[in-house]
Amino acid sequence: MTAQFDQETRDLLRQSISETGIVNPILVQKIEEDLVLIDGLHRLEDVVASGTQLIDVVVLEGDMADLLCRNLFLDHLRGKTPVSDMVRVIGALSEDYGLDPDKIREKTGLTRDYIEKLIKISLASQSVREALDQGVIGVGHAFELSRLPYAIQQEEILAKHQVWRFSVKELKEQIDGVLREMQAIKEQPAEAAPSEPRPAPVYRCEGCNQE
């Protein structure tokens, strides 16, 4: 994840690096033979653009799960990270690296409830995640939509939301209703099979009166 800055702030950071150099060192992590960036993409780009050949960095040890958690923690502290990026990173920590919500909470400082919501959203349909990316919906809306088990259901209600602009509470009530109906259908008793075979119906030809 990468922190987002408006153009004015970005220009000020670039000017500061040009005049005084990097005050906060860039963080990287050694994974096998590679150095993978954890924090400091903008600083790195500005230093490279200035023509500097050597850059001081802090090198940490760990695996990719450690790297993602550190990146998430540092960018979340700045409060400027796109939620859609957080969804992707936390989804990867859960699905690809097998970290449960408590482990992610321990490593990132995020609340368990928020982590669980982001994990659920990471499994939502592509349309829901794109709407979150574009700012059409927020985390609350995306989480409620992700509770529906089928992508076509999520996309149908998402399309309605773009017209009616439901509040999170209104959306939750709609989805609660859909889930109740689905559960009621699931719990309906199956029709009992006939105890004896039914005789085949017999018809007669209207012309010759034969069966």
Short mmCIF file of all heavy atoms in Angstrom, two decimals, residues 144-206:
data_model
loop_
_atom_site.label_atom_id
_atom_site.label_comp_id
_atom_site.label_asym_id
_atom_site.label_seq_id
_atom_site.Cartn_x
_atom_site.Cartn_y
_atom_site.Cartn_z
N GLU A 144 -22.01 -4.98 3.89
CA GLU A 144 -23.38 -5.49 3.83
C GLU A 144 -23.63 -6.26 2.53
O GLU A 144 -24.21 -7.34 2.53
CB GLU A 144 -24.40 -4.35 3.97
CG GLU A 144 -24.36 -3.64 5.32
CD GLU A 144 -24.64 -4.57 6.49
OE1 GLU A 144 -25.31 -5.60 6.30
OE2 GLU A 144 -24.17 -4.27 7.60
N LEU A 145 -23.15 -5.73 1.41
CA LEU A 145 -23.31 -6.42 0.13
C LEU A 145 -22.58 -7.76 0.12
O LEU A 145 -23.05 -8.74 -0.45
CB LEU A 145 -22.80 -5.53 -1.01
CG LEU A 145 -23.66 -4.31 -1.34
CD1 LEU A 145 -22.90 -3.34 -2.23
CD2 LEU A 145 -24.96 -4.74 -2.01
N SER A 146 -21.42 -7.81 0.78
CA SER A 146 -20.61 -9.04 0.78
C SER A 146 -21.29 -10.16 1.57
O SER A 146 -20.89 -11.32 1.45
CB SER A 146 -19.22 -8.76 1.35
OG SER A 146 -19.27 -8.54 2.76
N ARG A 147 -22.29 -9.83 2.38
CA ARG A 147 -23.01 -10.87 3.14
C ARG A 147 -23.88 -11.73 2.24
O ARG A 147 -24.25 -12.85 2.61
CB ARG A 147 -23.88 -10.21 4.22
CG ARG A 147 -23.08 -9.52 5.31
CD ARG A 147 -23.99 -8.66 6.19
NE ARG A 147 -25.07 -9.46 6.74
CZ ARG A 147 -26.30 -9.00 6.97
NH1 ARG A 147 -26.60 -7.74 6.68
NH2 ARG A 147 -27.22 -9.78 7.50
N LEU A 148 -24.24 -11.23 1.07
CA LEU A 148 -25.04 -12.03 0.13
C LEU A 148 -24.15 -13.09 -0.50
O LEU A 148 -23.03 -12.80 -0.92
CB LEU A 148 -25.64 -11.13 -0.95
CG LEU A 148 -26.69 -10.14 -0.46
CD1 LEU A 148 -27.01 -9.11 -1.54
CD2 LEU A 148 -27.96 -10.87 -0.03
N PRO A 149 -24.64 -14.32 -0.61
CA PRO A 149 -23.75 -15.42 -1.03
C PRO A 149 -23.43 -15.45 -2.53
O PRO A 149 -22.45 -16.07 -2.92
CB PRO A 149 -24.53 -16.68 -0.63
CG PRO A 149 -25.96 -16.25 -0.59
CD PRO A 149 -25.95 -14.81 -0.16
N TYR A 150 -24.23 -14.77 -3.34
CA TYR A 150 -24.03 -14.88 -4.79
C TYR A 150 -23.71 -13.51 -5.39
O TYR A 150 -24.32 -12.50 -5.03
CB TYR A 150 -25.27 -15.46 -5.47
CG TYR A 150 -25.63 -16.83 -4.96
CD1 TYR A 150 -26.77 -17.02 -4.19
CD2 TYR A 150 -24.82 -17.94 -5.23
CE1 TYR A 150 -27.11 -18.28 -3.71
CE2 TYR A 150 -25.14 -19.19 -4.75
CZ TYR A 150 -26.28 -19.36 -3.99
OH TYR A 150 -26.59 -20.61 -3.51
N ALA A 151 -22.75 -13.50 -6.33
CA ALA A 151 -22.33 -12.25 -6.96
C ALA A 151 -23.49 -11.55 -7.65
O ALA A 151 -23.60 -10.32 -7.60
CB ALA A 151 -21.21 -12.53 -7.97
N ILE A 152 -24.37 -12.31 -8.29
CA ILE A 152 -25.50 -11.69 -9.01
C ILE A 152 -26.42 -10.94 -8.05
O ILE A 152 -26.98 -9.90 -8.39
CB ILE A 152 -26.28 -12.76 -9.82
CG1 ILE A 152 -27.26 -12.06 -10.76
CG2 ILE A 152 -26.99 -13.74 -8.90
CD1 ILE A 152 -27.89 -13.01 -11.77
N GLN A 153 -26.56 -11.44 -6.82
CA GLN A 153 -27.37 -10.75 -5.81
C GLN A 153 -26.69 -9.44 -5.39
O GLN A 153 -27.33 -8.40 -5.27
CB GLN A 153 -27.56 -11.64 -4.58
CG GLN A 153 -28.37 -12.90 -4.81
CD GLN A 153 -28.35 -13.79 -3.58
OE1 GLN A 153 -27.29 -14.06 -3.02
NE2 GLN A 153 -29.51 -14.25 -3.16
N GLN A 154 -25.39 -9.52 -5.15
CA GLN A 154 -24.64 -8.33 -4.74
C GLN A 154 -24.73 -7.25 -5.82
O GLN A 154 -24.95 -6.07 -5.52
CB GLN A 154 -23.17 -8.70 -4.49
CG GLN A 154 -22.98 -9.72 -3.38
CD GLN A 154 -21.53 -10.17 -3.26
OE1 GLN A 154 -20.62 -9.55 -3.82
NE2 GLN A 154 -21.30 -11.26 -2.54
N GLU A 155 -24.58 -7.66 -7.08
CA GLU A 155 -24.56 -6.70 -8.18
C GLU A 155 -25.94 -6.09 -8.42
O GLU A 155 -26.05 -4.91 -8.79
CB GLU A 155 -24.03 -7.38 -9.44
CG GLU A 155 -22.53 -7.69 -9.31
CD GLU A 155 -22.04 -8.75 -10.27
OE1 GLU A 155 -22.84 -9.16 -11.15
OE2 GLU A 155 -20.87 -9.18 -10.13
N GLU A 156 -26.99 -6.87 -8.21
CA GLU A 156 -28.35 -6.35 -8.40
C GLU A 156 -28.64 -5.25 -7.38
O GLU A 156 -29.16 -4.18 -7.73
CB GLU A 156 -29.37 -7.48 -8.26
CG GLU A 156 -30.81 -7.01 -8.46
CD GLU A 156 -31.81 -8.14 -8.31
OE1 GLU A 156 -31.40 -9.31 -8.23
OE2 GLU A 156 -33.01 -7.84 -8.26
N ILE A 157 -28.32 -5.50 -6.11
CA ILE A 157 -28.60 -4.48 -5.08
C ILE A 157 -27.63 -3.31 -5.21
O ILE A 157 -28.00 -2.16 -4.95
CB ILE A 157 -28.54 -5.12 -3.68
CG1 ILE A 157 -29.67 -6.16 -3.55
CG2 ILE A 157 -28.67 -4.06 -2.60
CD1 ILE A 157 -29.80 -6.78 -2.17
N LEU A 158 -26.40 -3.56 -5.65
CA LEU A 158 -25.45 -2.47 -5.90
C LEU A 158 -26.00 -1.53 -6.97
O LEU A 158 -25.91 -0.30 -6.84
CB LEU A 158 -24.10 -3.03 -6.33
CG LEU A 158 -23.03 -2.00 -6.74
CD1 LEU A 158 -22.71 -1.07 -5.59
CD2 LEU A 158 -21.77 -2.71 -7.23
N ALA A 159 -26.59 -2.09 -8.03
CA ALA A 159 -27.17 -1.27 -9.10
C ALA A 159 -28.32 -0.42 -8.56
O ALA A 159 -28.45 0.76 -8.92
CB ALA A 159 -27.66 -2.16 -10.23
N LYS A 160 -29.15 -0.98 -7.68
CA LYS A 160 -30.23 -0.22 -7.07
C LYS A 160 -29.67 0.90 -6.18
O LYS A 160 -30.21 2.01 -6.15
CB LYS A 160 -31.13 -1.14 -6.25
CG LYS A 160 -31.94 -2.13 -7.08
CD LYS A 160 -32.78 -3.03 -6.19
CE LYS A 160 -33.57 -4.04 -7.00
NZ LYS A 160 -34.35 -4.95 -6.13
N HIS A 161 -28.60 0.58 -5.47
CA HIS A 161 -28.00 1.57 -4.56
C HIS A 161 -27.52 2.80 -5.35
O HIS A 161 -27.63 3.93 -4.87
CB HIS A 161 -26.84 0.96 -3.79
CG HIS A 161 -26.02 1.98 -3.06
ND1 HIS A 161 -26.44 2.59 -1.90
CD2 HIS A 161 -24.80 2.53 -3.34
CE1 HIS A 161 -25.53 3.46 -1.49
NE2 HIS A 161 -24.53 3.44 -2.35
N GLN A 162 -26.99 2.58 -6.53
CA GLN A 162 -26.45 3.69 -7.31
C GLN A 162 -27.56 4.64 -7.76
O GLN A 162 -27.29 5.80 -8.10
CB GLN A 162 -25.66 3.16 -8.50
CG GLN A 162 -24.42 2.39 -8.05
CD GLN A 162 -23.52 1.98 -9.20
OE1 GLN A 162 -23.29 2.76 -10.11
NE2 GLN A 162 -23.00 0.79 -9.17
N VAL A 163 -28.80 4.15 -7.74
CA VAL A 163 -29.95 5.01 -8.07
C VAL A 163 -30.53 5.64 -6.81
O VAL A 163 -30.78 6.85 -6.74
CB VAL A 163 -31.04 4.20 -8.82
CG1 VAL A 163 -32.27 5.07 -9.06
CG2 VAL A 163 -30.49 3.65 -10.13
N TRP A 164 -30.74 4.79 -5.78
CA TRP A 164 -31.47 5.23 -4.60
C TRP A 164 -30.58 5.72 -3.45
O TRP A 164 -31.05 6.37 -2.52
CB TRP A 164 -32.37 4.10 -4.08
CG TRP A 164 -33.41 3.72 -5.09
CD1 TRP A 164 -33.41 2.62 -5.90
CD2 TRP A 164 -34.60 4.44 -5.42
NE1 TRP A 164 -34.51 2.60 -6.71
CE2 TRP A 164 -35.27 3.71 -6.43
CE3 TRP A 164 -35.17 5.63 -4.95
CZ2 TRP A 164 -36.47 4.14 -6.98
CZ3 TRP A 164 -36.37 6.05 -5.51
CH2 TRP A 164 -37.01 5.32 -6.51
N ARG A 165 -29.29 5.38 -3.49
CA ARG A 165 -28.35 5.82 -2.46
C ARG A 165 -28.82 5.44 -1.05
O ARG A 165 -29.10 6.28 -0.21
CB ARG A 165 -28.13 7.33 -2.54
CG ARG A 165 -27.53 7.79 -3.85
CD ARG A 165 -26.14 7.23 -4.05
NE ARG A 165 -25.59 7.59 -5.35
CZ ARG A 165 -24.42 7.20 -5.80
NH1 ARG A 165 -23.65 6.41 -5.05
NH2 ARG A 165 -23.98 7.55 -6.98
N PHE A 166 -28.92 4.14 -0.80
CA PHE A 166 -29.36 3.66 0.50
C PHE A 166 -28.33 4.01 1.58
O PHE A 166 -27.13 4.01 1.33
CB PHE A 166 -29.53 2.13 0.48
CG PHE A 166 -30.46 1.65 -0.59
CD1 PHE A 166 -30.02 0.78 -1.58
CD2 PHE A 166 -31.79 2.04 -0.61
CE1 PHE A 166 -30.88 0.33 -2.57
CE2 PHE A 166 -32.65 1.59 -1.59
CZ PHE A 166 -32.20 0.74 -2.58
N SER A 167 -28.81 4.24 2.78
CA SER A 167 -27.90 4.33 3.92
C SER A 167 -27.44 2.92 4.26
O SER A 167 -28.02 1.93 3.80
CB SER A 167 -28.62 4.95 5.13
OG SER A 167 -29.63 4.07 5.60
N VAL A 168 -26.40 2.80 5.09
CA VAL A 168 -25.92 1.48 5.49
C VAL A 168 -27.03 0.73 6.23
O VAL A 168 -27.23 -0.48 6.02
CB VAL A 168 -24.66 1.60 6.37
CG1 VAL A 168 -24.24 0.23 6.92
CG2 VAL A 168 -23.50 2.21 5.59
N LYS A 169 -27.80 1.44 7.05
CA LYS A 169 -28.89 0.81 7.80
C LYS A 169 -29.95 0.28 6.86
O LYS A 169 -30.44 -0.85 7.01
CB LYS A 169 -29.50 1.82 8.77
CG LYS A 169 -30.64 1.25 9.61
CD LYS A 169 -31.22 2.30 10.54
CE LYS A 169 -32.40 1.72 11.32
NZ LYS A 169 -33.01 2.74 12.21
N GLU A 170 -30.34 1.06 5.85
CA GLU A 170 -31.35 0.62 4.87
C GLU A 170 -30.85 -0.59 4.09
O GLU A 170 -31.60 -1.53 3.83
CB GLU A 170 -31.68 1.77 3.93
CG GLU A 170 -32.45 2.90 4.59
CD GLU A 170 -32.55 4.12 3.70
OE1 GLU A 170 -31.69 4.30 2.80
OE2 GLU A 170 -33.48 4.92 3.91
N LEU A 171 -29.58 -0.55 3.71
CA LEU A 171 -29.01 -1.66 2.96
C LEU A 171 -28.98 -2.92 3.81
O LEU A 171 -29.31 -4.02 3.34
CB LEU A 171 -27.60 -1.30 2.51
CG LEU A 171 -26.98 -2.17 1.41
CD1 LEU A 171 -27.83 -2.14 0.15
CD2 LEU A 171 -25.57 -1.68 1.10
N LYS A 172 -28.63 -2.78 5.08
CA LYS A 172 -28.60 -3.93 5.98
C LYS A 172 -29.99 -4.55 6.11
O LYS A 172 -30.13 -5.77 6.09
CB LYS A 172 -28.08 -3.51 7.36
CG LYS A 172 -28.00 -4.65 8.38
CD LYS A 172 -27.49 -4.17 9.72
CE LYS A 172 -27.27 -5.32 10.69
NZ LYS A 172 -28.47 -6.15 10.89
N GLU A 173 -31.01 -3.72 6.24
CA GLU A 173 -32.38 -4.23 6.37
C GLU A 173 -32.80 -5.00 5.13
O GLU A 173 -33.43 -6.06 5.22
CB GLU A 173 -33.33 -3.07 6.64
CG GLU A 173 -33.16 -2.46 8.03
CD GLU A 173 -33.96 -1.18 8.21
OE1 GLU A 173 -34.53 -0.69 7.20
OE2 GLU A 173 -34.01 -0.67 9.35
N GLN A 174 -32.45 -4.48 3.95
CA GLN A 174 -32.77 -5.19 2.71
C GLN A 174 -32.10 -6.55 2.66
O GLN A 174 -32.72 -7.56 2.33
CB GLN A 174 -32.31 -4.36 1.50
CG GLN A 174 -33.17 -3.19 1.15
CD GLN A 174 -32.80 -2.65 -0.21
OE1 GLN A 174 -32.80 -3.37 -1.21
NE2 GLN A 174 -32.46 -1.38 -0.26
N ILE A 175 -30.82 -6.56 2.98
CA ILE A 175 -30.05 -7.80 2.87
C ILE A 175 -30.48 -8.79 3.95
O ILE A 175 -30.54 -10.00 3.70
CB ILE A 175 -28.55 -7.49 2.91
CG1 ILE A 175 -28.18 -6.76 1.61
CG2 ILE A 175 -27.71 -8.76 3.08
CD1 ILE A 175 -26.82 -6.15 1.59
N ASP A 176 -30.81 -8.30 5.15
CA ASP A 176 -31.36 -9.18 6.18
C ASP A 176 -32.62 -9.87 5.66
O ASP A 176 -32.83 -11.07 5.89
CB ASP A 176 -31.70 -8.39 7.45
CG ASP A 176 -30.46 -8.04 8.27
OD1 ASP A 176 -29.40 -8.64 8.03
OD2 ASP A 176 -30.58 -7.16 9.15
N GLY A 177 -33.48 -9.11 4.96
CA GLY A 177 -34.71 -9.68 4.42
C GLY A 177 -34.44 -10.76 3.37
O GLY A 177 -35.07 -11.82 3.37
N VAL A 178 -33.48 -10.49 2.49
CA VAL A 178 -33.12 -11.49 1.47
C VAL A 178 -32.59 -12.76 2.12
O VAL A 178 -32.97 -13.88 1.75
CB VAL A 178 -32.06 -10.91 0.50
CG1 VAL A 178 -31.55 -12.00 -0.44
CG2 VAL A 178 -32.65 -9.76 -0.30
N LEU A 179 -31.72 -12.61 3.12
CA LEU A 179 -31.15 -13.78 3.79
C LEU A 179 -32.21 -14.57 4.55
O LEU A 179 -32.17 -15.81 4.58
CB LEU A 179 -30.02 -13.34 4.73
CG LEU A 179 -28.79 -12.72 4.05
CD1 LEU A 179 -27.80 -12.22 5.09
CD2 LEU A 179 -28.12 -13.72 3.11
N ARG A 180 -33.19 -13.86 5.13
CA ARG A 180 -34.28 -14.58 5.82
C ARG A 180 -35.11 -15.39 4.84
O ARG A 180 -35.48 -16.54 5.11
CB ARG A 180 -35.18 -13.57 6.56
CG ARG A 180 -34.63 -13.09 7.89
CD ARG A 180 -35.70 -12.41 8.72
NE ARG A 180 -36.26 -11.23 8.05
CZ ARG A 180 -35.76 -9.99 8.20
NH1 ARG A 180 -34.72 -9.77 8.97
NH2 ARG A 180 -36.33 -8.98 7.57
N GLU A 181 -35.41 -14.81 3.69
CA GLU A 181 -36.18 -15.53 2.67
C GLU A 181 -35.41 -16.76 2.18
O GLU A 181 -36.00 -17.83 1.99
CB GLU A 181 -36.49 -14.61 1.49
CG GLU A 181 -37.50 -13.53 1.81
CD GLU A 181 -37.75 -12.61 0.63
OE1 GLU A 181 -37.29 -12.94 -0.48
OE2 GLU A 181 -38.41 -11.56 0.81
N MET A 182 -34.11 -16.60 1.96
CA MET A 182 -33.31 -17.73 1.51
C MET A 182 -33.29 -18.85 2.56
O MET A 182 -33.37 -20.03 2.21
CB MET A 182 -31.88 -17.27 1.20
CG MET A 182 -31.78 -16.34 0.01
SD MET A 182 -30.07 -15.78 -0.28
CE MET A 182 -29.32 -17.33 -0.79
N GLN A 183 -33.19 -18.46 3.83
CA GLN A 183 -33.18 -19.45 4.90
C GLN A 183 -34.52 -20.16 5.00
O GLN A 183 -34.58 -21.38 5.21
CB GLN A 183 -32.84 -18.77 6.23
CG GLN A 183 -32.66 -19.73 7.39
CD GLN A 183 -31.49 -20.69 7.21
OE1 GLN A 183 -30.53 -20.38 6.52
NE2 GLN A 183 -31.59 -21.86 7.81
N ALA A 184 -35.63 -19.40 4.82
CA ALA A 184 -36.97 -20.00 4.88
C ALA A 184 -37.16 -21.02 3.77
O ALA A 184 -37.72 -22.10 3.98
CB ALA A 184 -38.03 -18.91 4.79
N ILE A 185 -36.68 -20.70 2.58
CA ILE A 185 -36.79 -21.64 1.46
C ILE A 185 -35.97 -22.89 1.74
O ILE A 185 -36.40 -24.02 1.48
CB ILE A 185 -36.31 -20.96 0.15
CG1 ILE A 185 -37.30 -19.86 -0.24
CG2 ILE A 185 -36.16 -21.98 -0.97
CD1 ILE A 185 -36.83 -18.99 -1.38
N LYS A 186 -34.79 -22.68 2.30
CA LYS A 186 -33.90 -23.81 2.60
C LYS A 186 -34.52 -24.74 3.63
O LYS A 186 -34.31 -25.97 3.58
CB LYS A 186 -32.56 -23.27 3.12
CG LYS A 186 -31.50 -24.32 3.37
CD LYS A 186 -30.21 -23.66 3.83
CE LYS A 186 -29.13 -24.69 4.14
NZ LYS A 186 -27.87 -24.06 4.59
N GLU A 187 -35.29 -24.18 4.57
CA GLU A 187 -35.86 -24.98 5.65
C GLU A 187 -37.20 -25.61 5.32
O GLU A 187 -37.74 -26.35 6.14
CB GLU A 187 -36.00 -24.10 6.91
CG GLU A 187 -34.66 -23.69 7.50
CD GLU A 187 -34.80 -22.70 8.64
OE1 GLU A 187 -35.95 -22.27 8.91
OE2 GLU A 187 -33.78 -22.37 9.28
N GLN A 188 -37.75 -25.31 4.15
CA GLN A 188 -39.02 -25.92 3.77
C GLN A 188 -38.86 -27.43 3.65
O GLN A 188 -37.91 -27.90 3.02
CB GLN A 188 -39.52 -25.34 2.45
CG GLN A 188 -40.09 -23.95 2.56
CD GLN A 188 -40.57 -23.42 1.22
OE1 GLN A 188 -40.37 -24.05 0.19
NE2 GLN A 188 -41.19 -22.25 1.24
N PRO A 189 -39.82 -28.22 4.22
CA PRO A 189 -39.69 -29.68 4.12
C PRO A 189 -39.84 -30.14 2.68
O PRO A 189 -40.65 -29.60 1.92
CB PRO A 189 -40.84 -30.19 4.99
CG PRO A 189 -41.81 -29.07 5.05
CD PRO A 189 -41.01 -27.82 4.97
N ALA A 190 -39.05 -31.13 2.32
CA ALA A 190 -39.15 -31.69 0.97
C ALA A 190 -40.46 -32.45 0.82
O ALA A 190 -40.98 -33.03 1.77
CB ALA A 190 -37.97 -32.62 0.71
N GLU A 191 -41.02 -32.43 -0.39
CA GLU A 191 -42.26 -33.16 -0.64
C GLU A 191 -42.01 -34.66 -0.48
O GLU A 191 -41.03 -35.20 -0.99
CB GLU A 191 -42.78 -32.88 -2.05
CG GLU A 191 -43.26 -31.44 -2.24
CD GLU A 191 -43.87 -31.23 -3.60
OE1 GLU A 191 -44.04 -32.24 -4.32
OE2 GLU A 191 -44.17 -30.09 -3.94
N ALA A 192 -42.94 -35.30 0.24
CA ALA A 192 -42.80 -36.75 0.46
C ALA A 192 -43.04 -37.50 -0.85
O ALA A 192 -43.95 -37.18 -1.61
CB ALA A 192 -43.78 -37.21 1.52
N ALA A 193 -42.22 -38.50 -1.09
CA ALA A 193 -42.40 -39.33 -2.28
C ALA A 193 -43.63 -40.20 -2.11
O ALA A 193 -43.96 -40.63 -1.01
CB ALA A 193 -41.15 -40.20 -2.48
N PRO A 194 -44.40 -40.45 -3.19
CA PRO A 194 -45.58 -41.31 -3.07
C PRO A 194 -45.21 -42.70 -2.56
O PRO A 194 -44.19 -43.26 -2.95
CB PRO A 194 -46.13 -41.36 -4.51
CG PRO A 194 -44.98 -40.96 -5.39
CD PRO A 194 -44.16 -40.02 -4.56
N SER A 195 -46.07 -43.23 -1.65
CA SER A 195 -45.77 -44.54 -1.07
C SER A 195 -45.94 -45.68 -2.06
O SER A 195 -45.30 -46.71 -1.95
CB SER A 195 -46.67 -44.78 0.16
OG SER A 195 -48.03 -44.65 -0.22
N GLU A 196 -46.86 -45.53 -3.02
CA GLU A 196 -47.07 -46.57 -4.05
C GLU A 196 -46.93 -45.93 -5.42
O GLU A 196 -47.28 -44.77 -5.61
CB GLU A 196 -48.47 -47.18 -3.90
CG GLU A 196 -48.68 -47.91 -2.58
CD GLU A 196 -50.08 -48.50 -2.50
OE1 GLU A 196 -50.85 -48.35 -3.49
OE2 GLU A 196 -50.40 -49.11 -1.48
N PRO A 197 -46.46 -46.70 -6.38
CA PRO A 197 -46.33 -46.14 -7.73
C PRO A 197 -47.70 -45.78 -8.30
O PRO A 197 -48.66 -46.52 -8.13
CB PRO A 197 -45.65 -47.27 -8.53
CG PRO A 197 -45.92 -48.51 -7.76
CD PRO A 197 -45.98 -48.10 -6.32
N ARG A 198 -47.79 -44.64 -8.92
CA ARG A 198 -49.05 -44.22 -9.52
C ARG A 198 -49.26 -44.92 -10.86
O ARG A 198 -48.32 -45.07 -11.63
CB ARG A 198 -49.05 -42.71 -9.74
CG ARG A 198 -48.96 -41.90 -8.45
CD ARG A 198 -48.88 -40.42 -8.75
NE ARG A 198 -48.76 -39.62 -7.54
CZ ARG A 198 -48.58 -38.31 -7.55
NH1 ARG A 198 -48.48 -37.68 -8.70
NH2 ARG A 198 -48.49 -37.65 -6.40
N PRO A 199 -50.50 -45.34 -11.14
CA PRO A 199 -50.75 -45.97 -12.45
C PRO A 199 -50.61 -44.95 -13.57
O PRO A 199 -50.93 -43.77 -13.40
CB PRO A 199 -52.21 -46.46 -12.33
CG PRO A 199 -52.81 -45.59 -11.28
CD PRO A 199 -51.72 -45.29 -10.31
N ALA A 200 -50.12 -45.42 -14.70
CA ALA A 200 -49.96 -44.53 -15.84
C ALA A 200 -51.32 -44.11 -16.35
O ALA A 200 -52.26 -44.92 -16.39
CB ALA A 200 -49.17 -45.24 -16.94
N PRO A 201 -51.50 -42.84 -16.71
CA PRO A 201 -52.80 -42.41 -17.25
C PRO A 201 -53.11 -43.09 -18.58
O PRO A 201 -52.19 -43.39 -19.36
CB PRO A 201 -52.62 -40.90 -17.42
CG PRO A 201 -51.15 -40.69 -17.54
CD PRO A 201 -50.51 -41.73 -16.69
N VAL A 202 -54.37 -43.34 -18.82
CA VAL A 202 -54.82 -44.01 -20.05
C VAL A 202 -55.66 -43.03 -20.87
O VAL A 202 -56.56 -42.37 -20.33
CB VAL A 202 -55.65 -45.27 -19.72
CG1 VAL A 202 -56.17 -45.90 -21.01
CG2 VAL A 202 -54.80 -46.26 -18.95
N TYR A 203 -55.38 -42.90 -22.13
CA TYR A 203 -56.12 -42.03 -23.03
C TYR A 203 -56.64 -42.85 -24.20
O TYR A 203 -56.03 -43.85 -24.60
CB TYR A 203 -55.23 -40.89 -23.55
CG TYR A 203 -54.66 -40.03 -22.43
CD1 TYR A 203 -53.38 -40.28 -21.94
CD2 TYR A 203 -55.40 -38.99 -21.89
CE1 TYR A 203 -52.85 -39.51 -20.91
CE2 TYR A 203 -54.88 -38.22 -20.86
CZ TYR A 203 -53.61 -38.47 -20.38
OH TYR A 203 -53.10 -37.71 -19.37
N ARG A 204 -57.77 -42.42 -24.80
CA ARG A 204 -58.33 -43.11 -25.97
C ARG A 204 -58.30 -42.16 -27.17
O ARG A 204 -58.53 -40.96 -27.03
CB ARG A 204 -59.77 -43.56 -25.69
CG ARG A 204 -59.84 -44.69 -24.67
CD ARG A 204 -61.28 -45.19 -24.51
NE ARG A 204 -61.33 -46.29 -23.55
CZ ARG A 204 -61.11 -47.56 -23.89
NH1 ARG A 204 -60.84 -47.87 -25.15
NH2 ARG A 204 -61.15 -48.52 -22.97
N CYS A 205 -58.06 -42.76 -28.31
CA CYS A 205 -58.05 -42.00 -29.56
C CYS A 205 -59.48 -41.55 -29.87
O CYS A 205 -60.44 -42.33 -29.80
CB CYS A 205 -57.51 -42.88 -30.69
SG CYS A 205 -57.65 -42.09 -32.33
N GLU A 206 -59.65 -40.28 -30.22
CA GLU A 206 -60.98 -39.77 -30.53
C GLU A 206 -61.52 -40.34 -31.84
O GLU A 206 -62.72 -40.35 -32.05
CB GLU A 206 -60.94 -38.23 -30.61
CG GLU A 206 -60.65 -37.57 -29.27
CD GLU A 206 -60.68 -36.06 -29.35
OE1 GLU A 206 -60.96 -35.54 -30.46
OE2 GLU A 206 -60.43 -35.39 -28.33
#
